[in-house]
C-alpha cells in the first residue's frame, strides 16, 4: 500500500525546517545504512544526535500525531525519530530494501520497520531528478511531491532515489513499527476506515450501518494488532 499524505507540514513549518537545516552540519549518509545499502547510498545527512535533528524530528512527530490519515494508514505502535537528508547534484541512492530492525537511539529498544515514510521539504521546482522510485505489488511508482507532503509505503518494497541533475532535494525520512505488521491486513483496515469515513458523510453516527461497520473495523483491529 502506497499512501500520499498532503500537507503534513504547513508552509511555515517547511520554511522553519529549511532555515534550520541550512545552519546544520551535514555528514555522509552512509552512517545510517546497512552493509549492502552503504554501497548504494550517495547523499548527505544531518547527524541524528544533533540538536537540529532532535528539534525538527519532534516537529515532524507532532505533525504525525495530528494527522488522521497517517495514523489510519500506518497504525503506528512506535515511530523511529525522523532523520533528514539531502541529495545534491550528482547524488543518488541505488535500489535497496530498508533494514528490517533498527535500534532506537539512546535506548535499549529496537523497532521493526513495517512502514517507510519520506517527507518532502524541497519545492519540486528547485531540483531535477531525485524521484523516489518504489517497486511493489502496486507496480513501479515515481514520486516527487510538493514541500510538506509525505508518502508512506511498505518497508519491504525495493526502492531508490534517482540521480539529482539540478539543484538539491531535501527531505525527512523515518520508519514506523505498525500495530498490524502484515501489510495485507493493514491495507484492508485502511480501506475499511476510509469507507467508514465516507459512509459517515451520508449517514448519522448512530445509524445501524455506521455502528456495524465501526464495530467490525475495531474487532478486526483487535484480532490482528500486536502490542
Amino acid at each position: 500500500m502506497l499512501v500520499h499524505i498532503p500537507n503534513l507540514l504547513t508552509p511555515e513549518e517547511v520554511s522553519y525546517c529549511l532555515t534550520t537545516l541550512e545552519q546544520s552540519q551535514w555528514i555522509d549518509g552512509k552512517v545510517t545504512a546497512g552493509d549492502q545499502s552503504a554501497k548504494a547510498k550517495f547523499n548527505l545527512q544531518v547527524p541524528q544526535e544533533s540538536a537540529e535533528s532532535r528539534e525538527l524530528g519532534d516537529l515532524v512527530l507532532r505533525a504525525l500525531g495530528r494527522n488522521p490519515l497517517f495514523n489510519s494508514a500506518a497504525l503506528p505502535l512506535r515511530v523511529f525519530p525522523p532523520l533528514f537528508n539531502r541529495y545534491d547534484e550528482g547524488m543518488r541512492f541505488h535500489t535497496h530494501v530498508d533494514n528490517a530492525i533498527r535500534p532506537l537511539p539512546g535506548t535499549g529498544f529496537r523497532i521493526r520497520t513495517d512502514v517507510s515514510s519520506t517527507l518532502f521539504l524541497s519545492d519540486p521546482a528547485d531540483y531535477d531528478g531525485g524521484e523516489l522510485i518504489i517497486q511493489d505489488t502496486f507496480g513501479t511508482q515515481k514520486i516527487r511531491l510538493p514541500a510538506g507532503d509525505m508518502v508512506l509505503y511498505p518497508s519491504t518494497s525495493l526502492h531508490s532515489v534517482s540521480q539529482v541533475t539540478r539543484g538539491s532535494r531535501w527531505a525527512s525520512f523515518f520508519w514506523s513499527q505498525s500495530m498490524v505488521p502484515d501489510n495485507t491486513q493493514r491495507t484492508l483496515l485502511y480501506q475499511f476506515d476510509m469507507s467508514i469515513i465516507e459512509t459517515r458523510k451520508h449517514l448519522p453516527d448512530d445509524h445501524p450501518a455506521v455502528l456495524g461497520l465501526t464495530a467490525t473495523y475495531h474487532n478486526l483491529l483487535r484480532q490482528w494488532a500486536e502490542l
Side-chain angles (χ1 to χ4, degrees):
M1 175 178 63
L2 185 153
V3 178
H4 170 204
I5 300 180
N7 304 311
L8 180 78
L9 297 186
T10 67
E12 293 76 18
E13 288 172 325
V14 171
S15 178
Y16 183 78
C17 287
L18 294 175
T19 299
T20 303
L21 292 174
E22 286 172 354
Q23 303 167 3
S24 303
Q25 176 191 5
W26 294 88
I27 60 175
D28 193 322
K30 288 181 171 55
V31 295
T32 54
D35 291 341
Q36 183 176 6
S37 295
K39 301 172 184 177
K41 189 176 186 181
F42 303 93
N43 67 3
L44 299 173
Q45 187 171 307
V46 175
Q48 60 181 331
E49 69 279 3
S50 69
E52 295 86 356
S53 183
R54 291 196 299 270
E55 178 190 5
L56 298 183
D58 287 343
L59 184 153
V60 173
L61 290 174
R62 289 194 297 272
L64 295 176
R66 68 180 185 238
N67 190 281
L69 187 56
F70 169 76
N71 287 283
S72 178
L75 293 170
L77 177 63
R78 299 181 182 90
V79 178
F80 193 90
L83 301 171
F84 298 85
N85 64 15
R86 63 187 282 183
Y87 291 81
D88 293 335
E89 187 172 332
M91 294 182 177
R92 63 180 303 171
F93 200 161
H94 295 287
T95 303
H96 65 285
V97 68
D98 290 333
N99 290 350
I101 305 295
R102 285 190 172 270
L104 286 170
T107 76
F109 297 100
R110 294 176 293 177
I111 133 182
R112 184 187 62 240
T113 59
D114 297 320
V115 180
S116 298
S117 298
T118 297
L119 168 60
F120 289 77
L121 297 174
S122 297
D123 187 322
D126 292 340
Y127 65 96
D128 292 329
E131 295 93 351
L132 174 61
I133 303 171
I134 304 170
Q135 306 172 41
D136 210 314
T137 54
F138 43 71
T140 299
Q141 304 289 328
K142 294 185 177 181
I143 312 294
R144 270 171 58 99
L145 298 179
D149 285 19
M150 187 174 79
V151 62
L152 59 83
Y153 55 96
S155 297
T156 52
S157 305
L158 286 170
H159 57 284
S160 60
V161 176
S162 67
Q163 181 172 309
V164 171
T165 58
R166 178 186 65 86
S168 185
R169 170 204 189 266
W170 296 19
S172 175
F173 64 102
F174 57 92
W175 303 270
S176 301
Q177 179 171 332
S178 179
M179 292 183 288
V180 178
D182 184 90
N183 181 58
T184 299
Q185 294 173 341
R186 196 166 58 247
T187 300
L188 288 172
L189 285 169
Y190 171 71
Q191 294 170 340
F192 203 156
D193 196 22
M194 293 301 100
S195 294
I196 292 171
I197 291 171
E198 189 63 29
T199 300
R200 291 176 64 189
K201 294 178 182 178
H202 305 283
L203 297 174
D205 288 349
D206 61 353
H207 191 282
V210 175
L211 293 173
L213 289 171
T214 303
T216 302
Y217 171 86
H218 283 283
N219 287 331
L220 285 173
L221 179 58
R222 184 177 290 109
Q223 180 175 340
W224 291 339
E226 296 181 8
L227 304 179

